[in-house]
Amino acid sequence: MIELSNELLTIKVAEMGAELQSIVDSEGHEYLWQADPKFWPRHSPILFPIVCSVENDTYIVDGREYHLPRHGFARDTAFTLVAQSDNKVVFALHESEETMKVYPFPFNLAVSYRLDDNKIHVIWHVENTGKREMHFQIGGHPAFYAPGCEAGQPLKGVLRVDNTGRLRGLRSHIDGSVEMEEIEIASQDGLICFDDEFFANDSVKVHKSQTSRVELLNPDGSVAVGLSYKCPIIAFWSPYQKNAPFVCLEPWYGVGDPRGYAGEFKNKPFINHLMPGASFMSEYVISIGE
């Protein structure tokens, strides 16, 4: 476990999955969900090379079938620590004999965490090290304690996004698939109230880059946690009917297969492409407090 600290925050990151596992402020308050397996045994997994699910855990590359579990393999694979300073740590993962069996593309994936005052910059860098075009998805899945909620008690809270207009999303299913028809997401002046029923159909997905920031609010209306991003999809999730005291704020470059999808992996919606030698870089930023 790698630890980084400044005057405001201390974070911990594990080499397994390069997963952020703790965000504690100077008063000792923990913001990141601590992975109680009764509810959900993860903190902030990295989703790669797919986001959500492919149909029947099966996808097609150049006519050949491959198999991946939900959210891919990166979250369950040990990364290598490649650099560390007082405020930054960098982990890396590349293809192996095992990954090539389930994902037929050579790659480098670097994940960096950088502390900057009350902010944590989470940086992704994907490189195609192979000789043909590479197709992939990537996403974050950080889970934050819902202010004022206790384990086993009814979940409720408020999110605020930087779009006060009509919000549209994709209809979701509990198996991780989606329908490409748009649905309206209940909001008023950028405020989204959530409870357990809000997640009855799995995660709630706001697509087409309609927002670039979401804030998880305290009961008094102040900001507990903010998340800034540039990705096309932001998803919200908490496990349905478990009364779990957390909500996930998930920046995604990708989404699950459309229900019944049987086409090539490269043609699915919200897929990303890299030519040989090309790279992709993006980040999202977690801010604690106002």
Side-chain angles (χ1 to χ4, degrees):
M1 192 78 69
I2 304 299
E3 182 175 302
L4 300 177
S5 296
N6 62 19
E7 293 181 354
L8 300 177
L9 298 176
T10 296
I11 68 171
K12 294 180 181 179
V13 187
E15 292 188 11
M16 178 57 69
E19 184 179 10
L20 182 63
Q21 296 201 348
S22 177
I23 304 172
V24 175
D25 66 17
S26 59
E27 297 180 354
H29 182 76
E30 176 68 71
Y31 289 84
L32 203 64
W33 168 245
Q34 287 302 291
D36 183 345
K38 179 180 177 181
F39 299 98
W40 188 58
R42 300 180 188 269
H43 309 263
S44 180
I46 294 165
L47 317 182
F48 177 88
I50 60 170
V51 170
C52 284
S53 299
V54 288
E55 184 79 6
N56 297 319
D57 292 341
T58 301
Y59 69 105
I60 299 171
V61 176
D62 296 335
R64 179 178 173 182
E65 288 189 351
Y66 295 87
H67 304 280
L68 277 173
R70 191 166 184 155
H71 293 319
F73 54 74
R75 63 182 184 167
D76 295 316
T77 305
F79 282 60
T80 300
L81 175 65
V82 295
Q84 183 179 357
S85 65
D86 289 342
N87 70 334
K88 185 177 180 180
V89 62
V90 182
F91 295 91
L93 177 69
H94 60 81
E95 84 284 349
S96 66
E97 182 178 343
E98 292 305 309
T99 68
M100 291 294 288
K101 293 176 183 177
V102 297
Y103 179 66
F105 300 102
F107 67 91
N108 280 330
L109 169 61
V111 179
S112 304
Y113 297 91
R114 179 169 62 85
L115 268 181
D116 178 17
D117 293 330
N118 68 327
K119 297 179 177 61
I120 304 147
H121 295 255
V122 185
I123 305 160
W124 301 319
H125 185 189
V126 182
E127 181 184 7
N128 180 0
T129 58
K131 297 181 179 180
R132 61 171 172 166
E133 187 178 32
M134 170 185 168
H135 318 292
F136 73 98
Q137 298 175 320
I138 192 166
H141 204 312
F144 302 99
Y145 284 105
C149 295
E150 299 291 336
Q153 299 299 312
L155 173 70
K156 62 180 180 179
V158 179
L159 301 172
R160 181 168 60 204
V161 297
D162 59 343
N163 182 344
T164 58
R166 176 173 171 258
L167 288 179
R168 303 172 309 282
L170 298 173
R171 187 179 301 278
S172 302
H173 295 276
I174 204 68
D175 62 1
S177 66
V178 298
E179 295 180 28
M180 298 313 293
E181 76 170 283
E182 290 188 341
I183 60 172
E184 187 155 354
I185 296 171
S187 65
Q188 184 173 3
D189 297 326
L191 297 178
I192 302 171
C193 297
F194 65 86
D195 57 14
D196 188 61
E197 283 302 313
F198 188 68
F199 304 107
N201 294 314
D202 198 51
S203 61
V204 176
K205 304 170 180 68
V206 181
H207 68 328
K208 293 184 177 179
S209 302
Q210 297 171 74
T211 68
S212 61
R213 181 171 172 82
V214 60
E215 296 167 339
L216 175 61
L217 302 184
N218 289 309
D220 65 3
S222 62
V223 178
V225 177
L227 200 78
S228 298
Y229 44 86
K230 296 180 180 178
C231 54
I233 296 171
I234 183 72
F236 312 126
W237 178 78
S238 192
Y240 182 52
Q241 293 186 331
K242 286 193 175 183
N243 288 323
F246 69 87
V247 62
C248 294
L249 311 178
E250 306 180 43
W252 289 354
Y253 286 87
V255 74
D257 275 3
R259 205 156 179 80
Y261 185 73
E264 283 272 341
F265 186 54
K266 65 181 179 181
N267 295 327
K268 66 178 288 183
F270 297 101
I271 196 76
N272 307 283
H273 313 280
L274 284 177
M275 296 302 292
S279 62
F280 161 97
M281 181 176 287
S282 188
E283 73 169 359
Y284 68 93
V285 182
I286 300 168
S287 56
I288 302 301
E290 299 286 355

